[in-house]
């Protein structure tokens, strides 16, 4: 079974980042992410870090055996873009025998996310094989991974080279 940790960047294009980790590696991955918390911090929020800290964090995260999927939607309202990305995410990850989807909780979209997930999973007859939840990122260190990688992907240019350290796939979603 795999767990998929999901967050987004809305800086320019809508980028939904899904970081997939085998459940046997979750303990080690949490250990690596927790080690990135500085004294006085409760959790890592990538946008708040300095450039040098961002580079150090990405370097540490590159030691985690993960796969990052980026679902990019350029057109539509924020809700439409999120909906399109989420539907593609479900189609991508339900090919596995079972999966656990963990979203960074955004109260503006939690109800919509749940509706889309129920709809897509029912349509695909995958309800018994897929679990999902929405959690605050401060409560789940592995949500710091898609936060960092989505920010990095959105920045592009020099930051794009940092993503070469990770196994990743990009899914461009047409309008």
């Amino acid at each position: 079974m795999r767990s998929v940790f999901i967050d987004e960047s809305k800086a320019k294009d809508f980028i939904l980042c899904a970081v997939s980790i085998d459940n046997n590696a979750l303990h080690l991955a949490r250990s690596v992410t927790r080690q990135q918390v500085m004294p006085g911090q409760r959790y890592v929020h990538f946008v708040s870090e300095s450039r040098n800290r961002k580079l150090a964090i990405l370097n540490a995260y590159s030691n985690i055996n993960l796969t990052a999927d980026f679902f990019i939607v350029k057109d539509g309202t924020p809700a439409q873009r999120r909906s399109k990305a989420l539907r593609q995410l479900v189609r991508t990850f339900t090919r596995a025998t079972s999966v656990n989807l963990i979203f960074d909780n955004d109260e503006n979209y939690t109800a919509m996310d749940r509706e889309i997930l129920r709809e897509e999973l029912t349509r695909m007859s995958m309800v018994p094989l897929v679990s999902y939840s929405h959690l605050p990122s401060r409560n789940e260190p592995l949500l710091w991974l898609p936060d960092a990688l989505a920010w990095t992907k959105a920045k592009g240019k020099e930051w794009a080279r940092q993503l070469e350290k990770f196994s990743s796939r990009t899914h461009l979603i047409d309008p």
Side-chain angles (χ1 to χ4, degrees), residues 5 21 25-45 49 53 56-57 60-61 64 135-145:
F5 300 88
I21 302 173
L26 294 177
H27 180 74
L28 179 60
R30 280 192 184 96
S31 176
V32 171
T33 55
R34 284 187 186 116
Q35 289 172 12
Q36 303 315 304
V37 177
M38 298 293 287
Q41 281 184 318
R42 290 183 23 199
Y43 64 100
V44 175
H45 189 222
E49 301 294 340
R53 277 274 300 141
I57 290 167
Y61 289 175
I64 298 172
L135 301 172
S137 60
R138 66 183 173 276
N139 294 350
E140 174 50 78
L142 296 180
L143 285 168
W144 308 344
L145 296 166

Side-chain angles (χ1 to χ4, degrees), residues 27-164:
H27 180 74
L28 179 60
R30 280 192 184 96
S31 176
V32 171
T33 55
R34 284 187 186 116
Q35 289 172 12
Q36 303 315 304
V37 177
M38 298 293 287
Q41 281 184 318
R42 290 183 23 199
Y43 64 100
V44 175
H45 189 222
F46 205 67
V47 71
S48 304
E49 301 294 340
S50 71
R51 182 181 195 288
N52 286 341
R53 277 274 300 141
K54 284 177 177 134
L55 292 170
I57 290 167
L58 289 170
N59 192 50
Y61 289 175
S62 71
N63 293 313
I64 298 172
N65 186 13
L66 61 82
T67 300
D69 281 85
F70 299 99
F71 300 89
I72 301 174
V73 184
K74 296 179 180 283
D75 296 322
T77 67
Q80 290 169 332
R81 296 188 308 171
R82 185 178 184 93
S83 175
K84 289 175 187 178
L86 186 54
R87 289 176 193 282
Q88 184 61 47
L89 175 139
V90 170
R91 288 189 289 270
T92 299
F93 284 100
T94 54
R95 293 183 189 127
T97 53
S98 62
V99 66
N100 182 23
L101 305 173
I102 303 99
F103 293 84
D104 185 18
N105 191 37
D106 181 338
E107 292 179 8
N108 295 318
Y109 294 105
T110 303
M112 182 185 88
D113 287 357
R114 288 184 178 145
E115 181 179 330
I116 290 168
L117 290 165
R118 269 192 308 274
E119 184 180 300
E120 289 295 313
L121 294 172
T122 299
R123 186 180 63 73
M124 299 171 72
S125 301
M126 296 294 293
V127 172
L129 298 175
V130 178
S131 62
Y132 54 89
S133 58
H134 290 74
L135 301 172
S137 60
R138 66 183 173 276
N139 294 350
E140 174 50 78
L142 296 180
L143 285 168
W144 308 344
L145 296 166
D147 172 64
L149 297 179
W151 183 94
T152 303
K153 182 78 167 177
K155 278 300 192 187
K157 299 179 186 173
E158 70 194 61
W159 288 97
R161 287 192 303 271
Q162 296 301 314
L163 293 174
E164 294 171 4

